[in-house]
Amino acid sequence: MQPWQWPEAHWRGIVEHVRAGRTLRPASWPGGARCAIALSFDSDHETNELREGGESIGKLSQGQYGNRQGIPRILGILAQHGVKASFYVPAVTALLYPDEQRRVAAEGHELALHGWIHERNSVLPEAAERDLMLRAADVLEKLAGKRPVGIRTPSWDFSPSTLKITREMGLLYDSSLMADVDCYELLLDGEPTGVVELPVEWIRDDAVYFNMNRFAGLRPYTPPADVFDIFRRELEAAHAEGGIFQLTMHPHISGYRSRIWILEELIRHAKSLGNVWFAAHADIVRHAKAHAQ
């Protein structure tokens, strides 16, 4: 049948399989802060090419830039401003660059799951998805010294089994979905799971503004100053509402000299607004869950 022929029970079942539940908005943030700042970095590196079965040396070198230049620049800015953040790391990235992950963890940042090889988890069979998630958690635990408590799926999407596996693994939170700007509890077939969503949005992701396809007509169309303006407006609105400003950046995309200033200027601007709390996603989720109104 075509979608327009589906009976109501069918389309309702699709919509209600994974759903946003109760909002987890705290009455206040730690230290009386008005706004929580959740900076995150998806350390995809070479896995964007590998997950497609690609062997382009040019694309792999672009991914390697994330390790050689992107991560050091990012960590330097975070250290300079005393800011903690979350790094979502595919297991293959972690295995390629174990010292990078050890440094990230040693500097007090969160290491969290981002798949095995940045696979398209939303199309995987349940057994394969579970195996990759478990093996990825083992890799990060070995490098960081503690097991990750959060996940950002490589597809920024769920398969029908993703939430079930996430709950089975005892993970505290996910950061892949987009139903709100505040944290919320995820429902599975109408039942609360205890898993918290700290939502993302493509609007607050550098990749959509800067990515290009070498062999097609797609080229970056948004100047860095305009990207900063979009992020700044999101930040100011979050501050005005007393909520969360969540941002996703990629070391191999924003780690360039003409773009990295966006991160530093956002940090400075957030501090100029006053009463902000910079924290890892896991810490924001814990606070929101414990102090929800």
Side-chain angles (χ1 to χ4, degrees):
M1 290 189 295
Q2 295 298 315
W4 53 269
Q5 296 173 310
W6 287 345
E8 181 173 342
H10 183 74
W11 55 256
R12 281 194 181 275
I14 293 172
V15 170
E16 294 175 358
H17 179 53
V18 174
R19 202 73 170 153
R22 64 188 180 110
T23 300
L24 302 173
R25 186 166 192 170
S28 62
W29 297 107
R34 177 167 182 79
C35 179
I37 311 291
L39 302 178
S40 65
F41 304 91
D42 290 3
S43 301
D44 301 339
H45 299 0
E46 289 93 334
T47 61
N48 283 307
E49 177 68 2
L50 293 173
R51 69 108 176 264
E52 303 293 351
E55 300 178 16
S56 166
I57 293 172
K59 289 292 291 183
L60 293 170
S61 72
Q62 188 178 29
Q64 190 177 12
Y65 181 93
N67 165 259
R68 293 173 67 90
Q69 288 287 330
I71 288 289
R73 292 179 190 274
I74 289 165
L75 290 177
I77 290 172
L78 297 179
Q80 178 184 347
H81 293 277
V83 168
K84 300 306 178 189
S86 296
F87 289 74
Y88 295 88
V89 186
V92 167
T93 293
L95 292 169
L96 283 168
Y97 304 110
D99 289 344
E100 174 189 300
Q101 315 321 317
R102 294 188 187 103
R103 178 183 173 186
V104 168
E107 294 188 14
H109 304 294
E110 177 189 11
L111 279 180
L113 292 164
H114 198 41
W116 178 261
I117 198 169
H118 209 271
E119 64 277 358
R120 298 187 189 279
N121 66 289
S122 55
V123 299
L124 288 178
E126 181 176 339
E129 186 176 12
R130 179 182 288 104
D131 175 62
L132 293 175
M133 285 174 66
L134 288 168
R135 284 198 284 139
D138 290 342
V139 168
L140 293 189
E141 181 179 20
K142 183 176 181 180
L143 289 172
K146 59 182 179 181
R147 202 159 183 85
V149 299
I151 182 171
R152 174 169 294 155
T153 63
S155 300
W156 275 33
D157 201 355
F158 279 14
S159 77
S161 305
T162 303
L163 182 52
K164 174 185 175 184
I165 298 168
T166 299
R167 184 171 60 176
E168 287 175 0
M169 291 177 64
L171 294 175
L172 171 67
Y173 78 93
D174 172 80
S175 185
S176 315
L177 304 180
M178 311 180 193
D180 210 319
V181 290
D182 294 308
C183 289
Y184 56 88
E185 185 173 13
L186 287 169
L187 306 180
L188 183 61
D189 295 324
E191 296 297 324
T193 62
V195 179
V196 176
E197 181 66 30
L198 201 170
V200 293
E201 227 302 322
W202 293 113
I203 292 169
R204 300 187 307 275
D205 184 305
D206 60 354
V208 301
Y209 304 108
F210 295 136
N211 259 348
M212 64 166 280
N213 185 331
R214 179 182 175 188
F215 300 108
L218 179 62
R219 294 291 184 270
Y221 67 91
T222 314
D226 289 349
V227 175
F228 171 74
D229 185 64
I230 294 167
F231 292 166
R232 176 184 60 81
R233 290 172 187 272
E234 287 279 325
L235 166 62
E236 290 174 351
H239 189 272
E241 294 172 3
I244 300 169
F245 172 69
Q246 188 281 334
L247 182 69
T248 302
M249 304 182 92
H250 297 77
H252 74 285
I253 293 176
S254 282
Y256 288 90
R257 289 172 287 194
S258 61
R259 297 173 181 169
I260 193 66
W261 66 269
I262 295 173
L263 173 62
E264 187 159 23
E265 285 303 309
L266 281 171
I267 293 172
R268 286 175 175 158
H269 188 58
K271 289 184 174 182
S272 75
L273 294 174
N275 295 325
V276 296
W277 177 46
F278 290 92
H281 283 46
D283 292 330
I284 291 173
V285 167
R286 289 188 183 102
H287 182 83
K289 191 173 185 178
H291 298 90
Q293 298 184 65

